[in-house]
Amino acid sequence: MNTIRRSADRGHADHGWLASQHSFSFSEYYDAEHVEFGPLRVINEDRVVPGAGFGAHGHNDMEIISYVLSGALAHKDSLGNGSTLRPGDVQRMSAGTGIRHSEYNGSNTEPVHFLQIWIKPDRRGLAPSYEETRFEEHEKRGRLRLIASADGADRSVTVHQDVRLYAGLFDGDEHASLPLAEGRRAYVHIVRGAVEVNGQPLSGGDALKASGEKNLTIAAGRDAEVLVFDLPGA
């Protein structure tokens, strides 16, 4: 069964320095039908104006992935990590027993546009940790490139949950297929552009939830960027 969530139906918050769209319940936005999907808890599409950002704040017992779409995202945390992420970079931060961090627009002239993804870990009380990997455009072109997984396969960042996250770029005749094992489900988030997922036309910000499917097919892309979460079943 495939269920579609349109971009316009997401939650929205505008704080002036930050414009955010919430695929799942977050902060003051609550939708009982869209709290989480398995261990996938948050997909926030954030746009931060030049020179602004999130001051130091704390998290615990959450796997947090940052995926930059445009601009530069500057990161610092209580583990001593500091870096500036750009499109192609994937950051994983395991909050575990507790971590403090800040994210700022790394430019004083250009906005930064990124996705903040939260995944519930498979156990509580982990030691906080940090990881960052870069995936070039050609690695994602016309295919689904593994970028996060429980075992860190193929240079993917390691998440403490039975999740495999893929990223792909599709245009024209480019297409890909992903088999889903029995008992698995998938969440497909369209980052930008337009594409067909299992024959369903989707555009930037739209999502498709797939349960009980044996396969995902992605085709007919028009400058499309896609994230696919392969998740444990209910």
Side-chain angles (χ1 to χ4, degrees):
M1 180 178 69
N2 296 319
T3 303
I4 294 174
R5 179 109 189 272
R6 295 297 180 187
S7 175
D9 296 330
R10 294 180 293 174
H12 179 72
D14 192 341
H15 302 284
W17 64 273
L18 165 69
S20 185
Q21 291 176 290
H22 309 315
S23 295
F24 300 97
S25 296
F26 187 85
S27 187
E28 296 179 2
Y29 166 66
Y30 179 75
D31 183 337
E33 294 185 1
H34 299 95
V35 174
E36 59 193 26
F37 191 65
L40 179 58
R41 179 61 188 83
V42 168
I43 301 178
N44 287 349
E45 183 179 354
D46 291 342
R47 292 176 171 85
V48 178
V49 302
F54 303 87
H57 59 286
H59 294 287
N60 63 284
D61 292 320
M62 194 65 68
E63 304 289 291
I64 301 172
I65 296 172
S66 295
Y67 187 91
V68 180
L69 309 179
S70 64
L73 183 67
H75 167 89
K76 291 184 179 180
D77 63 48
S78 55
L79 299 179
N81 299 298
S83 64
T84 299
L85 306 172
R86 292 179 171 83
D89 294 328
V90 177
Q91 176 199 87
R92 183 271 302 165
M93 186 172 60
S94 296
T97 54
I99 193 169
R100 291 184 62 79
H101 70 114
S102 63
E103 261 75 33
Y104 276 85
N105 189 334
S107 170
N108 290 319
T109 58
E110 301 294 331
V112 61
H113 181 197
F114 67 103
L115 296 179
Q116 181 183 136
I117 299 163
W118 293 10
I119 296 171
K120 295 188 295 185
D122 57 11
R123 57 196 182 280
R124 300 173 65 87
L126 294 163
S129 61
Y130 178 91
E131 186 180 6
E132 183 183 315
T133 302
R134 179 167 184 81
F135 300 95
E136 301 296 343
E137 181 174 328
H138 69 84
E139 297 183 72
K140 298 176 283 186
R141 171 58 57 193
R143 61 180 291 231
L144 290 173
R145 175 51 160 106
L146 184 68
I147 64 170
S149 65
D151 59 2
D154 198 17
R155 292 196 306 110
S156 60
V157 297
T158 303
V159 291
H160 298 92
Q161 180 55 265
D162 182 18
V163 169
R164 292 173 70 85
L165 171 57
Y166 301 84
L169 300 170
F170 299 93
D171 194 49
D173 293 334
E174 295 170 339
H175 62 279
S177 180
L178 180 69
L180 297 175
E182 186 175 354
R184 304 289 289 182
R185 53 183 165 175
Y187 188 95
V188 184
H189 179 83
I190 311 306
V191 177
R192 61 181 171 88
V195 70
E196 291 184 6
V197 181
N198 283 4
Q200 299 282 349
L202 302 172
S203 300
D206 292 346
L208 181 142
K209 300 177 182 180
S211 299
E213 299 285 337
K214 294 183 178 180
N215 198 64
L216 283 177
T217 59
I218 297 174
R222 297 189 300 281
D223 193 27
E225 186 166 6
V226 176
L227 292 181
V228 178
F229 298 80
D230 182 343
L231 303 160

PDB file of all heavy atoms in Angstrom, residues 191-230:
ATOM      1  N   VAL A 191      13.171  15.573  -2.367  1.00  0.00           N
ATOM      2  CA  VAL A 191      13.902  16.758  -1.930  1.00  0.00           C
ATOM      3  C   VAL A 191      13.616  17.937  -2.845  1.00  0.00           C
ATOM      4  O   VAL A 191      13.364  19.058  -2.390  1.00  0.00           O
ATOM      5  CB  VAL A 191      15.414  16.453  -1.895  1.00  0.00           C
ATOM      6  CG1 VAL A 191      16.211  17.692  -1.521  1.00  0.00           C
ATOM      7  CG2 VAL A 191      15.706  15.316  -0.924  1.00  0.00           C
ATOM      8  N   ARG A 192      13.662  17.686  -4.140  1.00  0.00           N
ATOM      9  CA  ARG A 192      13.412  18.750  -5.123  1.00  0.00           C
ATOM     10  C   ARG A 192      13.055  18.106  -6.461  1.00  0.00           C
ATOM     11  O   ARG A 192      13.205  16.900  -6.659  1.00  0.00           O
ATOM     12  CB  ARG A 192      14.640  19.649  -5.279  1.00  0.00           C
ATOM     13  CG  ARG A 192      15.880  18.916  -5.767  1.00  0.00           C
ATOM     14  CD  ARG A 192      17.080  19.850  -5.871  1.00  0.00           C
ATOM     15  NE  ARG A 192      18.321  19.119  -6.134  1.00  0.00           N
ATOM     16  CZ  ARG A 192      18.768  18.806  -7.342  1.00  0.00           C
ATOM     17  NH1 ARG A 192      18.065  19.152  -8.415  1.00  0.00           N
ATOM     18  NH2 ARG A 192      19.908  18.154  -7.497  1.00  0.00           N
ATOM     19  N   GLY A 193      12.554  18.943  -7.374  1.00  0.00           N
ATOM     20  CA  GLY A 193      12.206  18.461  -8.699  1.00  0.00           C
ATOM     21  C   GLY A 193      10.932  17.644  -8.698  1.00  0.00           C
ATOM     22  O   GLY A 193      10.072  17.791  -7.820  1.00  0.00           O
ATOM     23  N   ALA A 194      10.795  16.781  -9.684  1.00  0.00           N
ATOM     24  CA  ALA A 194       9.607  15.932  -9.820  1.00  0.00           C
ATOM     25  C   ALA A 194      10.043  14.551 -10.294  1.00  0.00           C
ATOM     26  O   ALA A 194      11.018  14.408 -11.027  1.00  0.00           O
ATOM     27  CB  ALA A 194       8.620  16.544 -10.811  1.00  0.00           C
ATOM     28  N   VAL A 195       9.287  13.520  -9.862  1.00  0.00           N
ATOM     29  CA  VAL A 195       9.650  12.140 -10.175  1.00  0.00           C
ATOM     30  C   VAL A 195       8.435  11.253  -9.954  1.00  0.00           C
ATOM     31  O   VAL A 195       7.482  11.667  -9.276  1.00  0.00           O
ATOM     32  CB  VAL A 195      10.833  11.692  -9.269  1.00  0.00           C
ATOM     33  CG1 VAL A 195      10.393  11.538  -7.832  1.00  0.00           C
ATOM     34  CG2 VAL A 195      11.524  10.453  -9.787  1.00  0.00           C
ATOM     35  N   GLU A 196       8.458  10.061 -10.525  1.00  0.00           N
ATOM     36  CA  GLU A 196       7.414   9.080 -10.261  1.00  0.00           C
ATOM     37  C   GLU A 196       7.970   7.976  -9.370  1.00  0.00           C
ATOM     38  O   GLU A 196       9.033   7.426  -9.662  1.00  0.00           O
ATOM     39  CB  GLU A 196       6.883   8.486 -11.561  1.00  0.00           C
ATOM     40  CG  GLU A 196       6.081   9.473 -12.394  1.00  0.00           C
ATOM     41  CD  GLU A 196       5.477   8.847 -13.634  1.00  0.00           C
ATOM     42  OE1 GLU A 196       5.591   7.597 -13.797  1.00  0.00           O
ATOM     43  OE2 GLU A 196       4.892   9.588 -14.451  1.00  0.00           O
ATOM     44  N   VAL A 197       7.264   7.678  -8.291  1.00  0.00           N
ATOM     45  CA  VAL A 197       7.641   6.599  -7.383  1.00  0.00           C
ATOM     46  C   VAL A 197       6.513   5.567  -7.403  1.00  0.00           C
ATOM     47  O   VAL A 197       5.367   5.895  -7.086  1.00  0.00           O
ATOM     48  CB  VAL A 197       7.873   7.113  -5.952  1.00  0.00           C
ATOM     49  CG1 VAL A 197       8.277   5.967  -5.029  1.00  0.00           C
ATOM     50  CG2 VAL A 197       8.940   8.203  -5.943  1.00  0.00           C
ATOM     51  N   ASN A 198       6.826   4.359  -7.832  1.00  0.00           N
ATOM     52  CA  ASN A 198       5.810   3.320  -8.030  1.00  0.00           C
ATOM     53  C   ASN A 198       4.632   3.843  -8.851  1.00  0.00           C
ATOM     54  O   ASN A 198       3.468   3.558  -8.578  1.00  0.00           O
ATOM     55  CB  ASN A 198       5.326   2.769  -6.686  1.00  0.00           C
ATOM     56  CG  ASN A 198       6.330   1.809  -6.066  1.00  0.00           C
ATOM     57  OD1 ASN A 198       7.417   1.614  -6.588  1.00  0.00           O
ATOM     58  ND2 ASN A 198       5.966   1.214  -4.942  1.00  0.00           N
ATOM     59  N   GLY A 199       4.977   4.634  -9.871  1.00  0.00           N
ATOM     60  CA  GLY A 199       3.972   5.160 -10.786  1.00  0.00           C
ATOM     61  C   GLY A 199       3.239   6.389 -10.292  1.00  0.00           C
ATOM     62  O   GLY A 199       2.433   6.966 -11.033  1.00  0.00           O
ATOM     63  N   GLN A 200       3.517   6.825  -9.072  1.00  0.00           N
ATOM     64  CA  GLN A 200       2.841   7.997  -8.509  1.00  0.00           C
ATOM     65  C   GLN A 200       3.678   9.252  -8.757  1.00  0.00           C
ATOM     66  O   GLN A 200       4.844   9.318  -8.361  1.00  0.00           O
ATOM     67  CB  GLN A 200       2.646   7.824  -6.998  1.00  0.00           C
ATOM     68  CG  GLN A 200       1.797   6.639  -6.599  1.00  0.00           C
ATOM     69  CD  GLN A 200       0.321   6.901  -6.791  1.00  0.00           C
ATOM     70  OE1 GLN A 200      -0.102   8.026  -7.040  1.00  0.00           O
ATOM     71  NE2 GLN A 200      -0.486   5.863  -6.676  1.00  0.00           N
ATOM     72  N   PRO A 201       3.106  10.280  -9.409  1.00  0.00           N
ATOM     73  CA  PRO A 201       3.857  11.513  -9.648  1.00  0.00           C
ATOM     74  C   PRO A 201       3.995  12.329  -8.360  1.00  0.00           C
ATOM     75  O   PRO A 201       3.007  12.608  -7.669  1.00  0.00           O
ATOM     76  CB  PRO A 201       3.004  12.251 -10.684  1.00  0.00           C
ATOM     77  CG  PRO A 201       1.621  11.709 -10.518  1.00  0.00           C
ATOM     78  CD  PRO A 201       1.760  10.302 -10.036  1.00  0.00           C
ATOM     79  N   LEU A 202       5.230  12.705  -8.037  1.00  0.00           N
ATOM     80  CA  LEU A 202       5.519  13.454  -6.823  1.00  0.00           C
ATOM     81  C   LEU A 202       6.435  14.621  -7.151  1.00  0.00           C
ATOM     82  O   LEU A 202       7.243  14.555  -8.077  1.00  0.00           O
ATOM     83  CB  LEU A 202       6.185  12.553  -5.782  1.00  0.00           C
ATOM     84  CG  LEU A 202       5.417  11.309  -5.336  1.00  0.00           C
ATOM     85  CD1 LEU A 202       6.301  10.423  -4.462  1.00  0.00           C
ATOM     86  CD2 LEU A 202       4.149  11.696  -4.574  1.00  0.00           C
ATOM     87  N   SER A 203       6.323  15.681  -6.328  1.00  0.00           N
ATOM     88  CA  SER A 203       7.147  16.875  -6.503  1.00  0.00           C
ATOM     89  C   SER A 203       7.859  17.205  -5.198  1.00  0.00           C
ATOM     90  O   SER A 203       7.591  16.603  -4.156  1.00  0.00           O
ATOM     91  CB  SER A 203       6.284  18.059  -6.955  1.00  0.00           C
ATOM     92  OG  SER A 203       5.643  17.786  -8.183  1.00  0.00           O
ATOM     93  N   GLY A 204       8.752  18.190  -5.269  1.00  0.00           N
ATOM     94  CA  GLY A 204       9.554  18.574  -4.125  1.00  0.00           C
ATOM     95  C   GLY A 204       8.738  18.794  -2.866  1.00  0.00           C
ATOM     96  O   GLY A 204       7.748  19.533  -2.882  1.00  0.00           O
ATOM     97  N   GLY A 205       9.137  18.162  -1.778  1.00  0.00           N
ATOM     98  CA  GLY A 205       8.432  18.259  -0.505  1.00  0.00           C
ATOM     99  C   GLY A 205       7.397  17.183  -0.288  1.00  0.00           C
ATOM    100  O   GLY A 205       6.964  16.958   0.840  1.00  0.00           O
ATOM    101  N   ASP A 206       6.965  16.515  -1.371  1.00  0.00           N
ATOM    102  CA  ASP A 206       6.018  15.406  -1.242  1.00  0.00           C
ATOM    103  C   ASP A 206       6.717  14.188  -0.649  1.00  0.00           C
ATOM    104  O   ASP A 206       7.945  14.068  -0.680  1.00  0.00           O
ATOM    105  CB  ASP A 206       5.446  15.012  -2.607  1.00  0.00           C
ATOM    106  CG  ASP A 206       4.534  16.058  -3.215  1.00  0.00           C
ATOM    107  OD1 ASP A 206       4.116  16.982  -2.495  1.00  0.00           O
ATOM    108  OD2 ASP A 206       4.239  15.940  -4.428  1.00  0.00           O
ATOM    109  N   ALA A 207       5.908  13.266  -0.125  1.00  0.00           N
ATOM    110  CA  ALA A 207       6.450  12.016   0.415  1.00  0.00           C
ATOM    111  C   ALA A 207       5.516  10.873   0.069  1.00  0.00           C
ATOM    112  O   ALA A 207       4.318  11.063  -0.143  1.00  0.00           O
ATOM    113  CB  ALA A 207       6.627  12.114   1.924  1.00  0.00           C
ATOM    114  N   LEU A 208       6.088   9.664   0.009  1.00  0.00           N
ATOM    115  CA  LEU A 208       5.310   8.450  -0.194  1.00  0.00           C
ATOM    116  C   LEU A 208       5.690   7.449   0.885  1.00  0.00           C
ATOM    117  O   LEU A 208       6.869   7.173   1.101  1.00  0.00           O
ATOM    118  CB  LEU A 208       5.564   7.862  -1.582  1.00  0.00           C
ATOM    119  CG  LEU A 208       4.789   6.588  -1.937  1.00  0.00           C
ATOM    120  CD1 LEU A 208       4.346   6.605  -3.401  1.00  0.00           C
ATOM    121  CD2 LEU A 208       5.647   5.344  -1.680  1.00  0.00           C
ATOM    122  N   LYS A 209       4.666   6.924   1.573  1.00  0.00           N
ATOM    123  CA  LYS A 209       4.860   5.858   2.555  1.00  0.00           C
ATOM    124  C   LYS A 209       4.464   4.543   1.899  1.00  0.00           C
ATOM    125  O   LYS A 209       3.353   4.406   1.404  1.00  0.00           O
ATOM    126  CB  LYS A 209       3.985   6.098   3.788  1.00  0.00           C
ATOM    127  CG  LYS A 209       4.260   7.396   4.521  1.00  0.00           C
ATOM    128  CD  LYS A 209       3.285   7.567   5.684  1.00  0.00           C
ATOM    129  CE  LYS A 209       3.495   8.876   6.402  1.00  0.00           C
ATOM    130  NZ  LYS A 209       2.543   9.052   7.536  1.00  0.00           N
ATOM    131  N   ALA A 210       5.379   3.586   1.907  1.00  0.00           N
ATOM    132  CA  ALA A 210       5.125   2.289   1.270  1.00  0.00           C
ATOM    133  C   ALA A 210       5.161   1.192   2.318  1.00  0.00           C
ATOM    134  O   ALA A 210       6.167   1.024   3.013  1.00  0.00           O
ATOM    135  CB  ALA A 210       6.161   2.017   0.193  1.00  0.00           C
ATOM    136  N   SER A 211       4.052   0.467   2.447  1.00  0.00           N
ATOM    137  CA  SER A 211       3.964  -0.665   3.370  1.00  0.00           C
ATOM    138  C   SER A 211       3.439  -1.870   2.602  1.00  0.00           C
ATOM    139  O   SER A 211       2.511  -1.747   1.794  1.00  0.00           O
ATOM    140  CB  SER A 211       3.030  -0.346   4.539  1.00  0.00           C
ATOM    141  OG  SER A 211       3.494   0.763   5.285  1.00  0.00           O
ATOM    142  N   GLY A 212       4.030  -3.035   2.846  1.00  0.00           N
ATOM    143  CA  GLY A 212       3.596  -4.246   2.170  1.00  0.00           C
ATOM    144  C   GLY A 212       3.982  -4.308   0.713  1.00  0.00           C
ATOM    145  O   GLY A 212       3.460  -5.149  -0.038  1.00  0.00           O
ATOM    146  N   GLU A 213       4.899  -3.453   0.279  1.00  0.00           N
ATOM    147  CA  GLU A 213       5.363  -3.470  -1.107  1.00  0.00           C
ATOM    148  C   GLU A 213       6.624  -4.323  -1.209  1.00  0.00           C
ATOM    149  O   GLU A 213       7.430  -4.385  -0.279  1.00  0.00           O
ATOM    150  CB  GLU A 213       5.658  -2.043  -1.583  1.00  0.00           C
ATOM    151  CG  GLU A 213       4.457  -1.115  -1.571  1.00  0.00           C
ATOM    152  CD  GLU A 213       3.503  -1.385  -2.710  1.00  0.00           C
ATOM    153  OE1 GLU A 213       3.946  -1.960  -3.727  1.00  0.00           O
ATOM    154  OE2 GLU A 213       2.317  -1.031  -2.587  1.00  0.00           O
ATOM    155  N   LYS A 214       6.830  -4.944  -2.363  1.00  0.00           N
ATOM    156  CA  LYS A 214       8.032  -5.750  -2.588  1.00  0.00           C
ATOM    157  C   LYS A 214       9.139  -4.957  -3.254  1.00  0.00           C
ATOM    158  O   LYS A 214      10.299  -5.370  -3.242  1.00  0.00           O
ATOM    159  CB  LYS A 214       7.688  -6.965  -3.448  1.00  0.00           C
ATOM    160  CG  LYS A 214       6.756  -7.967  -2.765  1.00  0.00           C
ATOM    161  CD  LYS A 214       6.526  -9.170  -3.649  1.00  0.00           C
ATOM    162  CE  LYS A 214       5.640 -10.201  -2.949  1.00  0.00           C
ATOM    163  NZ  LYS A 214       5.406 -11.396  -3.806  1.00  0.00           N
ATOM    164  N   ASN A 215       8.774  -3.805  -3.826  1.00  0.00           N
ATOM    165  CA  ASN A 215       9.758  -3.082  -4.619  1.00  0.00           C
ATOM    166  C   ASN A 215       9.371  -1.610  -4.719  1.00  0.00           C
ATOM    167  O   ASN A 215       8.189  -1.261  -4.728  1.00  0.00           O
ATOM    168  CB  ASN A 215       9.832  -3.691  -6.023  1.00  0.00           C
ATOM    169  CG  ASN A 215      11.082  -3.320  -6.760  1.00  0.00           C
ATOM    170  OD1 ASN A 215      12.180  -3.685  -6.344  1.00  0.00           O
ATOM    171  ND2 ASN A 215      10.938  -2.600  -7.847  1.00  0.00           N
ATOM    172  N   LEU A 216      10.381  -0.747  -4.786  1.00  0.00           N
ATOM    173  CA  LEU A 216      10.183   0.660  -5.098  1.00  0.00           C
ATOM    174  C   LEU A 216      10.827   0.945  -6.441  1.00  0.00           C
ATOM    175  O   LEU A 216      11.963   0.524  -6.693  1.00  0.00           O
ATOM    176  CB  LEU A 216      10.837   1.557  -4.048  1.00  0.00           C
ATOM    177  CG  LEU A 216      10.162   1.748  -2.703  1.00  0.00           C
ATOM    178  CD1 LEU A 216      11.036   2.630  -1.815  1.00  0.00           C
ATOM    179  CD2 LEU A 216       8.772   2.364  -2.840  1.00  0.00           C
ATOM    180  N   THR A 217      10.122   1.657  -7.300  1.00  0.00           N
ATOM    181  CA  THR A 217      10.697   2.067  -8.574  1.00  0.00           C
ATOM    182  C   THR A 217      10.655   3.590  -8.656  1.00  0.00           C
ATOM    183  O   THR A 217       9.649   4.222  -8.302  1.00  0.00           O
ATOM    184  CB  THR A 217       9.928   1.470  -9.762  1.00  0.00           C
ATOM    185  OG1 THR A 217       8.553   1.885  -9.714  1.00  0.00           O
ATOM    186  CG2 THR A 217       9.998  -0.042  -9.730  1.00  0.00           C
ATOM    187  N   ILE A 218      11.736   4.158  -9.116  1.00  0.00           N
ATOM    188  CA  ILE A 218      11.858   5.611  -9.247  1.00  0.00           C
ATOM    189  C   ILE A 218      12.219   5.898 -10.692  1.00  0.00           C
ATOM    190  O   ILE A 218      13.206   5.360 -11.217  1.00  0.00           O
ATOM    191  CB  ILE A 218      12.920   6.160  -8.287  1.00  0.00           C
ATOM    192  CG1 ILE A 218      12.488   5.887  -6.836  1.00  0.00           C
ATOM    193  CG2 ILE A 218      13.142   7.653  -8.518  1.00  0.00           C
ATOM    194  CD1 ILE A 218      13.517   6.257  -5.805  1.00  0.00           C
ATOM    195  N   ALA A 219      11.396   6.731 -11.356  1.00  0.00           N
ATOM    196  CA  ALA A 219      11.576   6.973 -12.791  1.00  0.00           C
ATOM    197  C   ALA A 219      10.964   8.322 -13.159  1.00  0.00           C
ATOM    198  O   ALA A 219      10.346   8.993 -12.334  1.00  0.00           O
ATOM    199  CB  ALA A 219      10.920   5.857 -13.602  1.00  0.00           C
ATOM    200  N   ALA A 220      11.147   8.683 -14.437  1.00  0.00           N
ATOM    201  CA  ALA A 220      10.552   9.899 -15.012  1.00  0.00           C
ATOM    202  C   ALA A 220      10.918  11.145 -14.218  1.00  0.00           C
ATOM    203  O   ALA A 220      10.090  12.025 -13.989  1.00  0.00           O
ATOM    204  CB  ALA A 220       9.026   9.753 -15.113  1.00  0.00           C
ATOM    205  N   GLY A 221      12.168  11.220 -13.797  1.00  0.00           N
ATOM    206  CA  GLY A 221      12.607  12.370 -13.017  1.00  0.00           C
ATOM    207  C   GLY A 221      12.788  13.619 -13.860  1.00  0.00           C
ATOM    208  O   GLY A 221      13.154  13.558 -15.036  1.00  0.00           O
ATOM    209  N   ARG A 222      12.529  14.752 -13.239  1.00  0.00           N
ATOM    210  CA  ARG A 222      12.800  16.046 -13.842  1.00  0.00           C
ATOM    211  C   ARG A 222      13.575  16.863 -12.808  1.00  0.00           C
ATOM    212  O   ARG A 222      12.992  17.479 -11.922  1.00  0.00           O
ATOM    213  CB  ARG A 222      11.489  16.740 -14.255  1.00  0.00           C
ATOM    214  CG  ARG A 222      10.721  15.969 -15.322  1.00  0.00           C
ATOM    215  CD  ARG A 222       9.541  16.744 -15.879  1.00  0.00           C
ATOM    216  NE  ARG A 222       8.561  17.088 -14.865  1.00  0.00           N
ATOM    217  CZ  ARG A 222       7.653  16.256 -14.372  1.00  0.00           C
ATOM    218  NH1 ARG A 222       7.608  14.998 -14.791  1.00  0.00           N
ATOM    219  NH2 ARG A 222       6.779  16.668 -13.468  1.00  0.00           N
ATOM    220  N   ASP A 223      14.897  16.819 -12.948  1.00  0.00           N
ATOM    221  CA  ASP A 223      15.804  17.492 -12.009  1.00  0.00           C
ATOM    222  C   ASP A 223      15.454  17.103 -10.574  1.00  0.00           C
ATOM    223  O   ASP A 223      15.348  17.960  -9.688  1.00  0.00           O
ATOM    224  CB  ASP A 223      15.727  19.008 -12.192  1.00  0.00           C
ATOM    225  CG  ASP A 223      16.866  19.729 -11.478  1.00  0.00           C
ATOM    226  OD1 ASP A 223      17.944  19.123 -11.285  1.00  0.00           O
ATOM    227  OD2 ASP A 223      16.666  20.898 -11.082  1.00  0.00           O
ATOM    228  N   ALA A 224      15.286  15.807 -10.329  1.00  0.00           N
ATOM    229  CA  ALA A 224      14.799  15.318  -9.038  1.00  0.00           C
ATOM    230  C   ALA A 224      15.933  14.852  -8.137  1.00  0.00           C
ATOM    231  O   ALA A 224      16.902  14.237  -8.594  1.00  0.00           O
ATOM    232  CB  ALA A 224      13.814  14.171  -9.246  1.00  0.00           C
ATOM    233  N   GLU A 225      15.781  15.134  -6.869  1.00  0.00           N
ATOM    234  CA  GLU A 225      16.628  14.593  -5.814  1.00  0.00           C
ATOM    235  C   GLU A 225      15.713  13.903  -4.817  1.00  0.00           C
ATOM    236  O   GLU A 225      14.688  14.458  -4.404  1.00  0.00           O
ATOM    237  CB  GLU A 225      17.445  15.680  -5.133  1.00  0.00           C
ATOM    238  CG  GLU A 225      18.442  15.143  -4.115  1.00  0.00           C
ATOM    239  CD  GLU A 225      19.475  16.183  -3.689  1.00  0.00           C
ATOM    240  OE1 GLU A 225      19.344  17.362  -4.101  1.00  0.00           O
ATOM    241  OE2 GLU A 225      20.412  15.812  -2.963  1.00  0.00           O
ATOM    242  N   VAL A 226      16.082  12.674  -4.432  1.00  0.00           N
ATOM    243  CA  VAL A 226      15.193  11.815  -3.647  1.00  0.00           C
ATOM    244  C   VAL A 226      15.942  11.191  -2.484  1.00  0.00           C
ATOM    245  O   VAL A 226      17.110  10.789  -2.635  1.00  0.00           O
ATOM    246  CB  VAL A 226      14.618  10.694  -4.554  1.00  0.00           C
ATOM    247  CG1 VAL A 226      13.772   9.714  -3.754  1.00  0.00           C
ATOM    248  CG2 VAL A 226      13.811  11.269  -5.703  1.00  0.00           C
ATOM    249  N   LEU A 227      15.289  11.102  -1.331  1.00  0.00           N
ATOM    250  CA  LEU A 227      15.789  10.316  -0.205  1.00  0.00           C
ATOM    251  C   LEU A 227      14.836   9.160   0.030  1.00  0.00           C
ATOM    252  O   LEU A 227      13.613   9.359   0.041  1.00  0.00           O
ATOM    253  CB  LEU A 227      15.873  11.153   1.071  1.00  0.00           C
ATOM    254  CG  LEU A 227      16.917  12.269   1.123  1.00  0.00           C
ATOM    255  CD1 LEU A 227      16.856  12.966   2.483  1.00  0.00           C
ATOM    256  CD2 LEU A 227      18.313  11.747   0.853  1.00  0.00           C
ATOM    257  N   VAL A 228      15.385   7.952   0.223  1.00  0.00           N
ATOM    258  CA  VAL A 228      14.581   6.759   0.491  1.00  0.00           C
ATOM    259  C   VAL A 228      15.037   6.132   1.790  1.00  0.00           C
ATOM    260  O   VAL A 228      16.218   5.798   1.945  1.00  0.00           O
ATOM    261  CB  VAL A 228      14.679   5.737  -0.658  1.00  0.00           C
ATOM    262  CG1 VAL A 228      13.870   4.503  -0.321  1.00  0.00           C
ATOM    263  CG2 VAL A 228      14.205   6.353  -1.972  1.00  0.00           C
ATOM    264  N   PHE A 229      14.108   5.950   2.722  1.00  0.00           N
ATOM    265  CA  PHE A 229      14.374   5.307   4.004  1.00  0.00           C
ATOM    266  C   PHE A 229      13.813   3.887   3.963  1.00  0.00           C
ATOM    267  O   PHE A 229      12.597   3.705   3.823  1.00  0.00           O
ATOM    268  CB  PHE A 229      13.705   6.070   5.142  1.00  0.00           C
ATOM    269  CG  PHE A 229      14.178   7.493   5.325  1.00  0.00           C
ATOM    270  CD1 PHE A 229      13.691   8.510   4.510  1.00  0.00           C
ATOM    271  CD2 PHE A 229      15.095   7.806   6.307  1.00  0.00           C
ATOM    272  CE1 PHE A 229      14.104   9.829   4.689  1.00  0.00           C
ATOM    273  CE2 PHE A 229      15.526   9.121   6.486  1.00  0.00           C
ATOM    274  CZ  PHE A 229      15.035  10.131   5.671  1.00  0.00           C
ATOM    275  N   ASP A 230      14.666   2.895   4.081  1.00  0.00           N
ATOM    276  CA  ASP A 230      14.263   1.496   4.196  1.00  0.00           C
ATOM    277  C   ASP A 230      14.193   1.202   5.699  1.00  0.00           C
ATOM    278  O   ASP A 230      15.206   1.208   6.404  1.00  0.00           O
ATOM    279  CB  ASP A 230      15.297   0.612   3.507  1.00  0.00           C
ATOM    280  CG  ASP A 230      14.938  -0.875   3.533  1.00  0.00           C
ATOM    281  OD1 ASP A 230      14.069  -1.266   4.339  1.00  0.00           O
ATOM    282  OD2 ASP A 230      15.550  -1.641   2.775  1.00  0.00           O
TER     283      ASP A 230
END
